[in-house]
Amino acid sequence: QKEVEQNSGPLSVPEGAIASLNCTYSDRGSQSFFWYRQYSGKSPELIMSIYSNGDKEDGRFTAQLNKASQYVSLLIRDSQPSDSATYLCAVHNTDKLIFGTGTRLQVFP
Amino acid sequence: GAGVSQSPSNKVTEKGKDVELRCDPISGHTALYWYRQRLGQGLEFLIYFQGNSAPDKSGLPSDRFSAERTGESVSTLTIQRTQQEDSAVYLCASSPGLAGGQETQYFGPGTRLLVL
């Protein structure tokens, strides 16, 4: 079992819809969780971090964490074509981040 | 302010040659990370430096890979006797180092390595 798992996609949603990106992790002791966005040919950039169970909202983005289910998700409201990218889930483990392979999101007009 | 910088941005080398990749972290960041990203794949952790502590080398894939860091500044990743499977983007990231790794990492633009 991979330490951090994501569906590779692509996830295709129409402009204006809600995109839901999911991630599961294997280390029950993990405490910090991050979502990074990576445009093709570019380096990752942080979208959201979350440390406590529940929801955390920042603009059009909402991160959701459920430690009991070892599950973290990212919702993107009012999706825009500019949101089309690969979204990487990262989980803190000891002294480093373990990344999932990413979910490719496509937002079509 | 300046972000993380890496050089070269692209490197083409022949199989069996050694290569050296450089990373300049954000000024004041004590934590520095190296990752490898193969085409279409996620980020693979290689090595982590935190201040003057011994680095976490647990992600280095073989003894052909090594990395050094001078104090809390520049780091170099060296790959000896390169193989074609070493072809990837090598990403460097830094963070303030105040939260035991549980903090935002800022990535450089990466070095795209192609081994022929």
Side-chain angles (χ1 to χ4, degrees):
Chain A
Q1 181 188 8
K2 292 182 181 178
E3 293 183 74
V4 179
E5 295 208 44
Q6 297 180 255
N7 188 318
S8 61
L11 172 66
S12 293
V13 300
E15 184 174 357
I18 296 175
S20 177
L21 304 161
N22 304 314
C23 172
T24 58
Y25 60 95
S26 61
D27 184 356
R28 187 171 289 278
S30 298
Q31 297 294 321
S32 306
F33 307 85
F34 303 84
W35 282 100
Y36 283 81
R37 178 176 63 196
Q38 187 174 28
Y39 291 112
S40 180
K42 302 295 185 183
S43 55
E45 55 180 342
L46 182 74
I47 297 296
M48 295 277 290
S49 60
I50 186 166
Y51 306 96
S52 304
N53 278 329
D55 295 359
K56 179 181 178 183
E57 186 174 320
D58 183 0
R60 295 186 297 111
F61 299 95
T62 299
Q64 299 175 318
L65 175 62
N66 184 325
K67 292 184 180 179
S69 299
Q70 295 173 243
Y71 176 93
V72 58
S73 65
L74 179 70
L75 301 178
I76 306 174
R77 288 181 301 281
D78 189 24
S79 296
Q80 302 297 308
S82 59
D83 295 326
S84 298
T86 296
Y87 289 80
L88 300 165
C89 172
V91 177
H92 183 256
N93 180 303
T94 313
D95 57 4
K96 56 187 176 283
L97 289 181
I98 305 298
F99 284 83
T101 54
T103 297
R104 188 157 63 94
L105 173 66
Q106 295 177 336
V107 181
F108 55 92
Chain B
V4 178
S5 62
Q6 293 186 244
S7 61
S9 54
N10 292 282
K11 177 71 178 177
V12 180
T13 191
E14 294 179 348
K15 177 181 174 181
K17 301 279 190 181
D18 297 351
V19 295
E20 192 172 277
L21 313 179
R22 176 186 169 109
C23 173
D24 280 274
I26 293 172
S27 178
H29 281 191
T30 62
L32 186 147
Y33 307 78
W34 282 99
Y35 296 89
R36 177 171 70 180
Q37 187 173 33
R38 292 191 165 115
L39 188 64
Q41 302 296 311
L43 276 68
E44 178 186 358
F45 168 79
L46 297 178
I47 189 168
Y48 161 57
F49 294 91
Q50 171 58 61
N52 295 317
S53 302
D56 178 348
K57 303 180 181 181
S58 60
L60 294 178
S62 77
D63 59 8
R64 296 187 297 104
F65 288 73
S66 62
E68 293 183 347
R69 188 180 186 191
T70 307
E72 296 183 350
S73 59
V74 171
S75 175
T76 55
L77 176 69
T78 301
I79 308 173
Q80 295 178 308
R81 304 180 304 281
T82 52
Q83 303 295 311
Q84 289 180 331
E85 66 260 27
D86 299 334
S87 296
V89 175
Y90 289 82
L91 289 160
C92 175
S94 73
S95 68
L98 302 175
Q102 300 190 54
E103 56 192 8
T104 300
Q105 295 182 20
Y106 298 88
F107 284 83
T111 293
R112 286 157 182 75
L113 174 65
L114 177 61
V115 182
L116 300 177

